Amino acid sequence: MTKFRTRLPPFAALIAFEAAARLKSFTGAANELGVSQPAVTRQIRDFENMIGAPLFDRLHRSVELTERGRELAQTLTRSLEEIAGSVERLRVNRTTVELKITSYVSFSSLWLVPRIMQFGENHPDVRFHTVSQHRGAELQMGSVDVALRYGQGGWTDGEVYYLFHDRLFPVCSPDYLARYGGEIRLEDLWRHKIIDCDNHGEWPDWSQFMAYHDVHGERLNIAHHYTYYTDALVAAIAGHGILMGWQSHVSDKIAAGQLVRFLPHTMPSTDGHYLVVKNERKNLPVIKSLIKWLQEESRPYVQMPM
């Protein structure tokens, strides 16, 4: 059999091509690999000369893979993922593996962080690095491995895994409810102090909830408005008013007696919670374990009745 050395380009050229194909940028590939942009350009040009056809279409400010380039990129990424996975599985003196997760602030603080220790107990060699963001969790930022997102699941920057849709309902502190005789009716919410937070049009709000239950008329009194849902939640626990509770965010607080759900009315979230995994990371053993664990943790929310 002909030696691989005579059939393949230098390994550095393969790595440069993979990075440029993934980032759609020779400059981005150079920055990631710690080399100069001309070096990446030269390696890819030599690679193309070996194949005898262009792998990229050079545009004004970016590059796009040709049909041959896309085929090669898919094969190369899959092969490198398998090699990396095999090395990780067979490594004798395994060192700590950093798992970098990005998520929006409230989901990270109120759902992920309270549970992640369970995953860590079964993976003592994993060090977690959680990056919380106010809006849309970026997957291409730095060395992020996975992103937890809220939306419709149509992202193309990674492998998408559905977790669950949420349920929304009003909550308040036990003390607040007691001040009003232990009963608050949906149609009387306009009489109460409402707690709200920024949503930038990305999350269901109070007006949608009231319209969903066909309640119209008086405008709600937004007495407390916060940038972050986590601050709004603290205000509700302190008895400052009524908050729109996301089941995934408040179920632990209800179980602990810090909040009460005083109405049976519920609204399903318009979008769902998803896990998005970088394509080049999805076959790593630790990532596969994380995907399975998150899906198992999500199952109760999928199965809960409305």
Side-chain angles (χ1 to χ4, degrees):
M1 179 181 291
T2 306
K3 298 291 185 180
F4 282 118
R5 184 175 179 180
T6 62
R7 299 169 59 195
L8 294 174
F11 188 70
L14 293 173
I15 295 298
F17 170 75
E18 187 280 329
R22 171 167 41 84
L23 299 173
K24 296 183 179 180
S25 168
F26 289 178
T27 301
N31 291 336
E32 181 177 290
L33 298 174
V35 298
S36 67
Q37 190 266 353
V40 169
T41 301
R42 183 176 62 257
Q43 289 171 332
I44 292 175
R45 184 177 62 245
D46 292 344
F47 196 179
E48 290 175 321
N49 290 336
M50 175 185 175
I51 291 175
L55 298 173
F56 290 95
D57 287 325
R58 275 73 169 174
L59 307 178
H60 179 56
R61 293 185 178 274
S62 64
V63 293
E64 294 287 343
L65 288 166
T66 63
E67 184 175 347
R68 285 186 174 88
R70 282 192 296 273
E71 179 181 349
L72 181 59
Q74 291 172 0
T75 301
L76 180 59
T77 299
R78 184 169 58 249
S79 299
L80 290 175
E81 286 173 351
E82 291 177 358
I83 292 170
S86 295
V87 170
E88 178 62 26
R89 286 191 300 272
L90 298 175
R91 186 179 296 161
V92 176
N93 298 316
R94 299 179 69 173
T95 57
T96 300
V97 176
E98 181 172 274
L99 181 58
K100 197 168 187 179
I101 305 171
T102 183
S103 173
Y104 40 101
V105 175
S106 61
F107 196 78
S108 174
S109 299
L110 302 171
W111 194 87
L112 177 64
V113 171
R115 291 167 172 77
I116 198 68
M117 185 181 294
Q118 302 169 22
F119 182 79
E121 287 175 351
N122 294 321
H123 298 82
D125 57 338
V126 175
R127 180 176 67 241
F128 298 99
H129 183 176
T130 302
V131 180
S132 298
Q133 301 180 57
H134 182 37
R135 300 178 66 182
E138 287 293 333
L139 191 59
Q140 299 305 323
M141 179 184 64
S143 56
V144 168
D145 298 297
V146 302
L148 289 162
R149 292 175 176 169
Y150 176 79
Q152 298 183 354
W155 302 285
T156 59
D157 57 341
E159 190 80 10
V160 179
Y161 299 86
Y162 172 72
L163 297 179
F164 60 93
H165 272 66
D166 228 310
R167 294 163 178 80
L168 289 78
F169 44 80
V171 295
C172 65
S173 72
D175 288 344
Y176 185 92
L177 184 62
R179 292 204 298 268
Y180 293 92
E183 182 180 1
I184 299 175
R185 299 189 306 166
L186 180 66
E187 55 269 28
D188 291 335
L189 284 182
W190 65 273
R191 301 176 185 274
H192 291 267
K193 293 181 178 180
I194 299 299
I195 302 172
D196 204 2
C197 63
D198 293 351
N199 69 14
H200 303 284
E202 299 174 357
W203 318 89
D205 58 20
W206 277 104
S207 62
Q208 290 173 275
F209 181 85
M210 300 301 280
Y212 182 83
H213 291 289
D214 200 28
V215 178
H216 307 277
E218 297 290 343
R219 187 171 182 174
L220 294 180
N221 172 27
I222 308 298
H224 305 280
H225 188 100
Y226 296 90
T227 299
Y228 296 112
Y229 186 87
T230 47
D231 292 339
L233 180 63
V234 172
I237 292 173
H240 295 176
I242 298 173
L243 173 70
M244 180 65 68
W246 289 65
Q247 189 167 40
S248 64
H249 292 25
V250 303
S251 57
D252 291 346
K253 308 301 182 186
I254 293 174
Q258 295 176 294
L259 292 173
V260 292
R261 177 180 177 180
F262 56 87
L263 290 172
H265 303 79
T266 300
M267 182 179 79
S269 62
T270 50
D271 295 338
H273 300 288
Y274 292 83
L275 173 71
V276 187
V277 181
K278 259 185 183 174
N279 288 318
E280 61 269 28
R281 303 280 202 273
K282 64 184 179 182
N283 288 325
L284 294 177
V286 66
I287 299 297
K288 288 183 176 181
S289 296
L290 180 69
I291 294 168
K292 181 180 179 181
W293 176 77
L294 284 171
Q295 290 174 332
E296 290 173 350
E297 288 295 309
S298 300
R299 192 166 294 119
Y301 296 90
V302 175
Q303 296 172 344
M304 283 180 179
M306 293 298 296

